[in-house]
Amino acid sequence: GASIVACMQALALIHKLGLQPRRTLRVAFWVNEENGGRGGVAYREFVGGQIQNHVAALEMDGGAETPRGFGAGVDAKSMDMLKQIAKLLEPIGAGEITGGGGGEDIGPLIRDGVPGFSERAGGGHYFDWHHSEADTLDKVNPEDFRKSVAALAVMGYALADMPERVTGGGARRGQ
């Protein structure tokens, strides 16, 4: 739940700041990751041929702990471009950009060539309460949550506004 709210807040922050990226930002929520991933598959079917317009897919699936950066499923040239975004994220401790972005939720998009990104969090307590009755709002640290919102807003805006598109590693579609 924190991830859904963080994504909505990231877009709200971009809007509040009056920023208008050259490309559209879309937040999509779906369910069923642990039981077959039908939500991600349904979204992929929904976008159909418009998938060629998807510049990137970002996923926040590691809880709302301290953000460290992003995993990026991109080629070497794109990873070099992401170094500039990483510098913007360094003041909040989220400037680490590593390979291997994406996850189950956005897997259907990645398989069709959309570069995948996953926010990386500290993860010190994530599995202490993940998918349990203890997974409640009081576990969310407001400061870490705000940093996650900021990291998502910066990454999302930058990817949507870059003159060049990042390219997924091993993508099946062209630029």
Side-chain angles (χ1 to χ4, degrees), residues 68-75 78-79 82-83 86 94-102 116-121 155:
R68 300 289 182 222
F70 288 86
V74 298
D75 61 17
S78 296
M79 192 62 87
L82 294 174
K83 289 178 183 176
E96 182 179 307
I97 309 290
T98 61
F117 291 79
S118 52
E119 188 206 42
R120 308 283 179 160
M155 182 60 77

Side-chain angles (χ1 to χ4, degrees), residues 151-170:
L152 290 166
V154 167
M155 182 60 77
Y157 179 83
L159 290 169
D161 199 54
M162 291 170 64
E164 286 187 65
R165 293 169 61 140
V166 293
T167 310

